[in-house]
Amino acid sequence: MKDLLEISCGLDVHKDKIVACILTGPLGKPTNSEIREFTTLIPDMIALRDWIVSQSCHHVAMESAGIYWLPIYEILEEAFGGDITLLVVNARHMKNVPGKKTDMRDSEWISTLLRAGLLNGSFIPEKRIREFRDLNRYRKSVIRDITSQKNRVEKSLQSSGFRLSSFISDIFGASGRNIIRHLTEHGQIDRPALDSCLKTTTRNRIDEILMSVNGISTTASCAIIAEIGIDMKPFKTAEHICSWAGLCPGNNESAGKRKSTSVTKGNPYIKSILCEIAWVITGKRNTYLSA
């Protein structure tokens, strides 16, 4: 390797410690190596900076290990009044450079590569941009969390049969929040209460919304009729239709002993809609279906 720097520093950054190596010496001559260890506590990181400054080392490279390099970078970038070159290097790039001796410490190898000009640093924007980036990323994560919670609420409403999103474009708008708040407090909603919850033109769809949150919706009713019709004569009892739909286990008995069984395949279309209706009923009180 051809040397390009007379003094260089390599940092091997870990969670709890920093191993630093400073190589000094004329170009093309054997180097002097000094290795020190520091903790990742702020006083020790300041001591690391002071040691680098005392050695007049203006070129420092470190491995981009997770987020552990961040506080070290911020402390070192203030050295020499900002007149310092800091490289955060991808570990994979360093491993791809041949020539490392087996007994050489990682920090010494980083310093050696830096001295030879064989390291390319990752893009690290200036501090104010980094702070803005952190704020923007935090904003994005908050929005993601809010969206996730909204989806959970929507999923819970759907599984309970409250299909508000079919009639209200934004269920977290003024009308939607009023309905959800009323359902949370009372468990059900009638027409006068719904009318008081709705705002502006949403009142024009009050009958559709009322149908979606109370009883079996028109869609569910149509789905049931489409599968079983309106004549119940083919099914002797409610148990028969449940068995046909695949909503109850078969009767597997031998020698007077009942064996475990699973539900039959049945009719998947009516099975799914009846399961949805059952979930709605379990969350309601004082209604005909839940009696």
Side-chain angles (χ1 to χ4, degrees):
M1 298 182 186
K2 183 179 179 181
D3 296 334
L4 300 179
L5 300 173
E6 292 187 348
I7 181 170
S8 61
C9 177
L11 303 179
D12 185 17
V13 181
H14 300 272
K15 180 180 180 180
D16 299 317
K17 70 175 182 178
I18 307 164
V19 181
C21 174
I22 292 182
L23 296 178
T24 58
L27 300 180
K29 302 292 183 180
T31 59
N32 296 319
S33 173
E34 184 177 357
I35 298 177
R36 293 188 183 183
E37 289 190 8
F38 302 85
T39 68
T40 52
L41 299 177
I42 292 178
D44 249 21
M45 288 191 288
I46 293 176
L48 168 63
R49 183 189 64 191
D50 294 341
W51 177 57
I52 291 174
V53 170
S54 67
Q55 298 293 318
S56 299
C57 179
H58 288 256
H59 295 83
V60 180
M62 68 188 81
E63 188 178 334
S64 57
I67 60 173
Y68 302 137
W69 62 270
L70 278 168
I72 304 169
Y73 188 97
E74 293 197 352
I75 288 178
L76 291 181
E77 69 179 342
E78 299 174 359
F80 302 108
D83 183 21
I84 185 172
T85 301
L86 295 174
L87 297 183
V88 179
V89 186
N90 190 314
R92 183 177 57 189
H93 296 166
M94 290 186 292
K95 291 178 181 178
N96 290 336
V97 180
K100 181 181 179 181
K101 299 178 182 177
T102 56
D103 61 344
M104 183 182 293
R105 302 184 70 167
D106 288 341
S107 58
E108 187 177 357
W109 177 239
I110 296 173
S111 186
T112 301
L113 295 178
L114 177 61
R115 180 180 171 87
L118 296 177
L119 295 180
N120 293 318
S122 303
F123 169 68
I124 308 295
E126 58 180 302
K127 187 173 183 178
R128 64 189 184 95
I129 300 300
R130 295 200 305 269
E131 292 174 347
F132 177 67
R133 180 176 61 184
D134 291 341
L135 182 62
N136 188 63
R137 289 179 179 179
Y138 176 68
R139 172 185 171 275
K140 185 176 181 179
S141 67
V142 169
I143 292 175
R144 190 189 310 117
D145 291 341
I146 292 173
T147 303
S148 176
Q149 294 305 317
K150 284 185 175 180
N151 289 337
R152 290 185 64 183
V153 173
E154 164 67 1
K155 185 176 180 180
S156 177
L157 289 172
Q158 289 285 351
S159 65
S160 299
F162 302 142
R163 307 189 184 285
L164 297 181
S165 58
S166 299
F167 308 102
I168 301 177
S169 58
D170 181 12
I171 66 172
F172 296 98
S175 298
R177 291 199 308 271
N178 289 338
I179 295 173
I180 294 173
R181 187 181 299 110
H182 188 92
L183 289 172
T184 302
E185 294 174 354
H186 304 283
Q188 57 185 4
I189 192 169
D190 54 20
R191 187 184 181 89
L194 181 60
D195 185 62
S196 66
C197 291
L198 297 178
K199 304 293 183 181
T200 63
T201 57
T202 312
R203 282 197 173 93
N204 298 334
R205 309 192 69 181
I206 185 170
D207 292 327
E208 295 175 270
I209 298 172
L210 191 63
M211 179 66 73
S212 73
V213 298
N214 285 324
I216 299 176
S217 68
T218 304
T219 303
S221 302
C222 292
I224 294 173
I225 293 174
E227 295 299 326
I228 63 175
I230 58 175
D231 185 4
M232 296 294 101
K233 290 180 180 178
F235 307 102
K236 297 179 182 179
T237 63
E239 288 77 10
H240 280 82
I241 194 170
C242 286
S243 177
W244 176 81
L247 292 171
C248 64
N251 185 14
N252 187 4
E253 183 176 341
S254 178
K257 295 183 178 180
R258 287 184 177 274
K259 299 182 179 180
S260 62
T261 58
S262 59
V263 296
T264 58
K265 184 177 180 180
N267 184 316
Y269 301 100
I270 194 171
K271 179 191 292 187
S272 61
I273 194 66
L274 288 178
C275 285
E276 290 184 19
I277 294 171
W279 276 110
V280 175
I281 295 172
T282 59
K284 290 183 174 295
R285 296 180 181 178
N286 302 322
T287 65
Y288 173 78
L289 294 176
S290 61

